[in-house]
Structure formats: C-alpha cells, structure tokens
Amino acid sequence: MSAGDLAAAARLLAAATRPVVFTGAGMSAESGVPTFRDAQVGLWQRFDPAQLATPAAFHADPALVWGWYEGRRHGVRRAAPNPGHRAVAAIQARLPDTVVVTQNVDDLHERGGAVAPVRLHGSLFAPRCSGCARPAPLPDAAGEPAGPLDPPACAHCAAPVRPGVVWFGEALPEAALAAAVEAASRCDLLLTVGTSALVHPAAEIPLVAARLGAPVVQVNPVPTPLDAVCAVNLRGPAGEVLPALVRAAWPDASAG
Ligand code: BV8
Ligand code: ZN
C-alpha cells in the first residue's frame, strides 16, 4: 500500500458522510477465521466448502454439515475481533450514517463494536428449524465436535435444526439485500474489505455504488474483479490497512 494511495483514500473517507463498509471473509482472516479460499483444516480438508454449504449436502448428510458448522462456530467463539473490526466500528462512531454490509457469518463485527451490520448470508449464531423455520437454541453444552454431529431436533416439529446461514442455491434474505442495495445506492463512499467479489448477488453491492458515481476504495492483499471499478486500491491486510486509514482520515480519532 503506497503512502499516496493511503492519502487518497483518507481524503475520500474524511469527505464522506454516509459510507458503506462492505466486508467479506478476509475481514476476519487476521482473527484466525479461515476464509472460503483457505484450505480447510483437519477432517474437513477433503471437502470443498462450496459443496458443504448447500441444501443438498445437508439433506444428504445432516451430521456432516451440522458438525462442520458447529466446528466453525466454536472456532469463531475462540477468535477475537482484530484491529480491522475495531477500525470499522471507529468509522461508524465518527459517521453515524455508516452502514456495514457483511457477507460473513461470524459475529466479529458486533464483538468489535460495529452496530447493526446488514447480514447478507446470515449468521452461525442463529440456527433455525429446517422444517418450520422456528429459531432454535444454540447447543452450547454439546461442546466442539471433532467431526460429524447429528443436528438437534426442532422442539416444535422434530425436523432437524440447520445453521442460520444462506447456502449456495438459496435466496438471500430479502430485507437484508434490499437494505444493502438501498445503502449502496445512497452512499458517498463504498469501502470494500476482504472479499474476492466472486459470490453473487452480494458481489453486485459495490457495483451499485460505483454505477451511481460513488467512489469505491478496496482493501485486499490481492487483485479482485473490483479493481476495475476502484478509485483507490489499498493492497494489504485489513487489520493493518483499516486502522492506518482511520488515523490518516481523522488524525484526532482513535482507530478503534
Ligand atoms: C443465489 C454462507 C439464487 C454459508 C455464503 C451470478 C454469477 C455467478 C454465480 C451466481 C450468480 N448468481 C448466483 C450464483 C450462484 C452462487 C454463486 O455466487 N456462486 C459463485 C461461487 C460462482 N450464489 C448463490 O448461490 C447465492 N444464492 O443466488 O440464489 C436464488 C434466487 C432466488 C430463489 C432461490 C435461489 C447464495 C450465495 C451465498 C452462499 N453463502 N456464506 C457459509 O458461510 O458456509 S457465501 C460464502 O462465500 C461466505 O459468505 C464468504 O463470504 C463467501 C466467499 O466470499 P468472500 O467473503 O469474498 O470470501 P473469499 O474466501 O472468497 O475471499 C476472501 C478474500 O479476502 C480474498 O479476496 C482474499 O484475498 C482476501 N483476504 C485474505 N486475507 C485478508 C484479505 N483481505 C483483507 N485482509 C486480509 N487479512
Ligand atoms: Zn420445526
């Protein structure tokens, strides 16, 4: 990340009044939460996440999929927000009209101080019944599984409980997607952080802002399809770049 790029991005942030901060799995990488592109660990090594994150996989083997998600949830519980999460909260504290839109299913934005993130892909912490869709309690007493684990049965209809996330092939929550499109349509800056911009329709959100003339600033160690629409590309990890960006935009502010 060059000093010139940081200064250019800081000018855009300092001039913004209603930014959108759009985040992907890279936002949580420095907290030790694997991104979708990271190799899976242990038992899960032989599985492709995109193959496990589907209704068909859950229907075929509920214990394998439920065990995978419970393992991820326990991993997130052990993780801590990183300085990037705290910098996002600092932006919201400075600019109350900031909207955080996340593809992530961890709770690190909230634990890092962000307020009411728009969740496009749901949450690991909101299981629900696969039959009647009633919210289900988190089975915390069960402890972290080392592999497949039978999902609990719904207390109301006895169908298996499923993770409260959006699987591939499933529609995104209408209200969340509408809120994200609305925020991107009216923002005066879109800061995209830690996303490969390959998963749709979430990947459209930065394009909504760009098409309406809002500048897009990207934080990612590597190029993505969003490079084509970015006003500034900050090549580096979110946990370092975001605090530096906040300090450069508002020298008097704490970067979180
Ligand atoms: C749907 C929850 C239709 C589950 C997830 C149009 C074009 C192409 C394909 C499609 C299309 N429309 C639909 C599709 C199909 C599909 C799709 O997009 N496929 C892709 C993969 C080709 N989309 C869907 O199926 C969606 N549903 O369209 O339904 C429909 C409509 C009506 C009615 C019925 C059906 C649903 C998609 C949601 C899937 N669920 N998550 C779970 O988590 O298990 S998506 C999942 O992937 C995660 O949310 C994750 O966020 C996402 C991966 O994207 P990223 O967040 O970007 O993460 P990734 O690992 O890819 O990249 C990490 C980035 O971070 C990298 O760039 C890396 O360089 C960077 N990085 C690393 N370290 C750092 C860093 N950056 C900063 N700092 C660091 N330290
Ligand atoms: Zn039920």
Side-chain angles (χ1 to χ4, degrees):
M1 168 179 70
S2 75
D5 286 340
L6 182 64
R11 280 192 298 277
L12 290 170
L13 180 56
T17 57
R18 47 188 195 284
V20 164
V21 182
F22 177 72
T23 67
M27 183 78 231
S28 300
E30 290 150 276
S31 296
V33 177
T35 73
F36 254 51
R37 266 131 253 284
D38 288 342
Q40 295 300 314
V41 291
L43 168 99
W44 310 110
Q45 242 161 0
R46 62 178 189 271
F47 295 102
D48 167 8
Q51 298 307 314
L52 285 176
T54 67
F58 183 71
H59 181 70
D61 191 340
L64 179 71
V65 174
W66 179 256
W68 181 52
Y69 278 93
E70 279 298 276
R72 287 174 61 190
R73 184 169 68 83
H74 283 272
V76 168
R77 284 179 56 192
R78 284 196 304 275
N82 65 60
H85 292 106
R86 287 194 291 277
V88 169
I91 292 172
Q92 263 191 320
R94 183 87 185 205
L95 300 174
D97 285 342
T98 303
V99 178
V100 176
V101 177
T102 190
Q103 300 171 88
N104 299 342
V105 294
D106 63 50
D107 60 350
L108 294 176
H109 272 306
E110 293 92 330
R111 287 165 55 196
V115 173
V118 175
R119 299 189 145 282
L120 294 179
H121 294 157
S123 168
L124 289 170
F125 296 86
R128 67 172 187 270
C129 175
S130 62
C132 68
R134 275 183 173 77
L138 283 170
D140 273 339
E144 181 162 1
L149 174 70
D150 285 331
C154 169
H156 182 80
C157 75
V161 169
R162 59 163 283 174
V165 301
V166 178
W167 278 328
F168 288 99
E170 292 188 318
L172 273 57
E174 270 180 41
L177 187 53
V181 170
E182 161 67 16
S185 304
R186 58 188 302 277
C187 74
D188 50 13
L189 170 67
L190 188 133
L191 182 59
T192 174
V193 185
T195 184
S196 61
L198 297 175
V199 173
H200 292 261
E204 304 291 323
I205 295 303
L207 304 181
V208 168
R211 283 190 201 114
L212 292 170
V216 176
V217 171
Q218 178 169 234
V219 177
N220 195 315
V222 301
T224 77
L226 292 176
D227 285 36
V229 299
C230 283
V232 186
N233 253 314
L234 299 176
R235 286 267 185 271
E240 292 171 24
V241 170
L242 288 176
L245 175 59
V246 168
R247 278 193 298 272
W250 303 302
D252 61 325
S254 88

